[in-house]
């Protein structure tokens, strides 16, 4: 999730007289690097960097953040010494805060610097926002060694010193850097997964170990003994920054900031796991630490992310562009409520406060001042629906019900995939192949990409087939 801001000569000339945001403009000591982050996108800047800035001991915890797919994000942020403005946008207006917890921004391809920092004894934590798809996990939750990017890195790692080239996946890069840590004797650290996956710490461990084993069994054993994989549920709606957002920061703050991020006032972070080398006091900023994270993860993944995916496909099929527009459409809103009813039946526990959570979501999604594009949410659908729709469908059927609302999300995805002109998805190739088929065969093939068992379950195929077209031609 990186900023999508294209050079705008008009903006440059309009604000040319303004100084650029930097530590010279806003003096303040940069904290020492103790956290290394992979995935320097807008969400990292609105979430983990915000929590770190608001921890009581923030002056002891600086972040070095590495880009994923957009190296230019590091260049722009470095020109501002890591500083950027976080715009909290509510119905009532905007508030602006300069965040200084990122003290170094680097190109993800700079694996040498990544290894140097992760091997440093001062580094205690590695946080990850690399997208769900980047873990390279197959439908069975294990590393898919045949996925092209993963396979290439596995081969590279297996070649060891003889390898020509550097790993290109975040996992491959992390494994190389952990190898440097194991050699340095700097001791244990925590890897904190902040991507929207259930049991994300466990899955990150599985993916990292899968890669490390290809490198050397000794490293895998070292990781198992020294690296704690913390599971977390993260939440803050953060759309891509637009040129208009940058303009509004310049007008309101009196400086130019090419790395500003716009987000909603709401934020949440639930964590579970050990931090063997310490951590910031994120609880001062409202983060909660729990023993059992699963109910919180499921609440977030099914209610928030599930509704997002449903709106992304149903909404676009009905001609809407943003979450707020889709939610204002009764057909989409009813589908969301029905899906929430199904999901809520499998979310037990007073502490989850489902009723409040649902009404807060309606308010958050309805914040029309946050233009959250459905096309952005629609990306990587095969990975997302596997986590957001399939578990609810399965739970409903195990309870003796049809799971029609979860099935409707899957049907909307299938309809969208069939008619979209361009699909961004880790399984784009397989989606194209499925699209070359017709009727029932095509649907079975699409369902198989979500869960290999689904095509053989005639009742489910029947259910989804009957729900296709729900959002088309209405
Ligand atoms: C969204 C998430 O793009 C998506 O898939 O559902 O990025 C969502 O906005 C965040 O998880 C909110 O915390």
């Amino acid at each position: 999730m990186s900023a999508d801001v294209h050079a705008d000569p008009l903006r440059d000339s309009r604000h040319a007289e303004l100084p650029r945001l930097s530590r010279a403009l806003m003096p303040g000591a940069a904290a020492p690097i103790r956290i290394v982050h992979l995935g320097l996108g807008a969400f990292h800047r609105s979430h983990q960097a915000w929590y770190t800035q608001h921890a009581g001991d923030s002056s002891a915890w600086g972040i070095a953040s590495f880009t994923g797919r957009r190296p230019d994000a590091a260049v722009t942020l470095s020109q501002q010494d890591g500083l950027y403005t976080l715009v909290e946008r509510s119905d009532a207006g905007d508030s602006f805060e300069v965040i200084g917890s990122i003290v170094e921004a680097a190109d993800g391809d700079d694996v040498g610097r990544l290894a140097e920092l992760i091997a440093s004894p001062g580094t205690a934590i590695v946080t990850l926002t690399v997208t769900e798809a980047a873990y390279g996990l197959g439908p069975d939750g294990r590393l898919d060694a045949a996925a092209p990017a993963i396979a290439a890195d596995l081969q590279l790692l297996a070649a060891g010193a003889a390898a020509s080239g550097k790993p290109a996946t975040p996992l491959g890069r992390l494994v190389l850097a952990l190898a440097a840590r194991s050699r340095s004797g700097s001791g244990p650290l925590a890897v904190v997964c902040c991507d929207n996956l259930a049991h994300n710490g466990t899955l990150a461990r599985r993916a990292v170990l899968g890669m490390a084993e290809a490198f050397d069994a000794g490293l895998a054993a070292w990781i198992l003994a020294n690296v704690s994989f913390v599971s977390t549920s993260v939440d803050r709606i953060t759309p891509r920054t637009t040129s208009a957002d940058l303009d509004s920061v310049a007008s309101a703050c009196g400086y130019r900031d090419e790395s500003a991020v716009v987000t909603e006032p709401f934020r949440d972070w639930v964590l579970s796991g050990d931090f063997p080398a310490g951590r910031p006091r994120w609880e001062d900023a409202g983060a909660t630490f729990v023993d059992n994270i699963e109910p919180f993860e499921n609440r977030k993944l099914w209610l928030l992310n599930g509704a997002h995916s449903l709106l992304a496909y149903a909404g676009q099929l009905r001609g809407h562009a943003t979450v707020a527009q889709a939610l204002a459409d009764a057909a989409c809103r009813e589908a969301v409520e029905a899906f929430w009813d199904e999901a809520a039946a499998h979310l037990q526990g007073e502490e989850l406060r489902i009723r409040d959570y649902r009404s807060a979501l309606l308010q958050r999604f309805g914040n029309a001042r946050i233009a959250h594009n459905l096309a952005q949410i629609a990306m990587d659908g095969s990975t997302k629906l596997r986590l957001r729709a399939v578990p609810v469908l399965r739970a409903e059927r195990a309870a003796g019900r049809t799971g029609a609302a979860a099935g409707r999300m899957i049907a909307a995805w299938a309809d969208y995939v069939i008619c979209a002109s361009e699909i961004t998805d880790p399984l784009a190739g397989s989606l194209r192949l499925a699209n070359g088929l017709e009727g029932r065969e095509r649907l079975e093939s699409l369902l198989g990409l979500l869960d290999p068992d689904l095509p053989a379950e005639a009742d489910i195929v029947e259910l989804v087939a009957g729900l296709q077209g729900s959002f088309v031609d209405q």
Side-chain angles (χ1 to χ4, degrees):
M1 284 178 278
S2 52
D4 186 20
V5 180
H6 303 293
D8 175 355
L10 206 62
R11 186 180 71 245
D12 290 347
S13 65
R14 261 199 314 273
H15 300 300
E17 76 289 358
L18 295 179
R20 181 87 181 261
L21 177 61
S22 69
R23 288 189 195 262
L25 193 69
M26 302 234 164
I33 295 172
R34 300 207 58 206
I35 301 174
V36 174
H37 181 79
L38 269 68
L40 170 56
F43 179 71
H44 165 60
R45 283 178 277 158
S46 77
H47 193 273
Q48 302 93 51
W50 181 92
Y51 275 92
T52 303
Q53 167 130 328
H54 288 264
D57 50 359
S58 59
S59 60
W61 293 92
I63 304 172
S65 197
F66 288 75
T67 56
R69 288 176 284 199
R70 297 276 307 271
D72 51 320
V75 175
T76 313
L77 197 55
S78 299
Q79 286 164 350
Q80 303 181 176
D81 307 319
L83 297 185
Y84 61 95
T85 313
L86 189 63
V87 183
E88 275 190 15
R89 182 159 289 171
S90 71
D91 278 336
D94 288 351
S95 67
F96 303 84
E97 179 186 8
V98 173
I99 304 289
S101 50
I102 299 181
V103 298
E104 181 174 326
D107 182 345
D109 191 40
D110 190 350
V111 186
R113 180 64 181 149
L114 180 73
E116 183 183 3
L117 285 173
I118 290 189
S120 154
T123 299
I125 297 170
V126 179
T127 49
L128 307 174
T129 55
V130 294
T131 78
E132 296 92 312
Y135 292 86
L137 299 164
D140 61 355
R142 313 223 150 251
L143 187 72
D144 178 5
I150 302 284
D153 271 8
L154 283 172
Q155 216 176 9
L156 208 119
L157 290 171
S164 60
K166 294 185 270 186
T169 66
L171 287 186
R173 291 167 177 172
L174 178 58
V175 165
L176 261 195
L178 288 173
R181 175 114 184 161
S182 77
R183 286 193 303 272
S184 73
S186 293
L189 49 57
V191 169
V192 182
C193 180
C194 302
D195 284 293
N196 290 316
L197 295 157
H199 318 294
N200 58 10
T202 309
L203 293 187
R205 176 196 283 119
R206 219 180 264 165
V208 167
L209 284 176
M211 280 266 183
E213 272 151 16
F215 188 47
D216 103 52
L219 174 64
W222 183 87
I223 292 174
L224 209 52
N226 290 279
V227 181
S228 156
F229 287 84
V230 177
S231 282
T232 77
S233 174
V234 293
D235 194 2
R236 195 162 206 188
I237 292 172
T238 310
R240 285 186 177 153
T241 309
T242 64
S243 311
D245 296 330
L246 300 187
D247 268 345
S248 75
V249 171
S251 307
C253 302
Y255 53 69
R256 279 184 303 127
D257 178 353
E258 299 293 322
S259 289
V261 176
V262 175
T263 191
E264 61 173 345
F266 180 93
R267 67 245 153 192
D268 192 30
W269 200 4
V270 186
L271 303 96
S272 183
D274 299 328
F275 290 83
R279 63 166 174 81
R281 293 173 44 92
W282 285 319
E283 61 272 37
D284 297 339
T288 46
F289 291 82
V290 299
D291 291 332
N292 179 17
I293 198 166
E294 191 178 338
F296 298 97
E297 284 177 336
N298 289 342
R299 179 181 67 176
K300 158 77 189 344
L301 274 174
W302 298 346
L303 299 186
L304 188 148
N305 297 117
H308 258 175
S309 288
L310 177 51
L311 291 170
Y313 305 117
Q316 290 191 93
L317 289 168
R318 288 177 58 77
H320 306 301
T322 68
V323 170
Q325 286 164 3
L327 192 72
D329 176 339
C332 296
R333 161 88 182 252
E334 277 159 26
V336 166
E337 297 273 8
F339 177 69
W340 281 350
D341 288 343
E342 285 188 355
H346 310 283
L347 292 167
Q348 309 299 341
E350 279 291 295
E351 73 285 7
L352 295 182
R353 302 160 59 95
I354 297 299
R355 196 204 295 249
D356 295 347
Y357 193 85
R358 283 173 62 158
S359 60
L361 279 185
L362 288 176
Q363 207 178 5
R364 293 171 66 195
F365 288 176
N367 179 351
R369 297 194 63 242
I370 297 261
H372 199 181
N373 285 320
L374 297 173
Q376 182 186 345
I377 300 170
M379 290 196 269
D380 297 347
S382 66
T383 310
K384 290 178 179 175
L385 260 58
R386 200 178 289 154
L387 297 152
R388 302 175 182 191
V390 176
V392 175
L393 176 71
R394 290 250 175 252
E396 279 293 271
R397 296 189 73 85
R401 295 184 290 270
T402 62
R408 193 174 296 118
M409 187 191 321
I410 296 174
W413 168 72
D415 286 344
Y416 172 83
V417 163
I418 290 165
C419 68
S421 53
E422 209 190 308
I423 299 281
T424 305
D425 194 285
L427 299 183
S430 310
L431 285 170
R432 262 194 300 277
L433 284 179
N435 258 342
L437 305 170
E438 294 284 333
R440 187 59 61 104
E441 241 193 334
R442 173 165 64 187
L443 179 59
E444 285 174 1
S445 177
L446 289 173
L447 291 176
L449 300 177
L450 301 182
D451 176 339
D453 295 335
L454 286 179
E457 298 184 49
D459 288 357
I460 293 185
V461 179
E462 192 70 31
L463 172 79
V464 177
L467 292 164
Q468 282 191 275
S470 301
F471 299 102
V472 196
D473 300 323
Q474 280 184 32

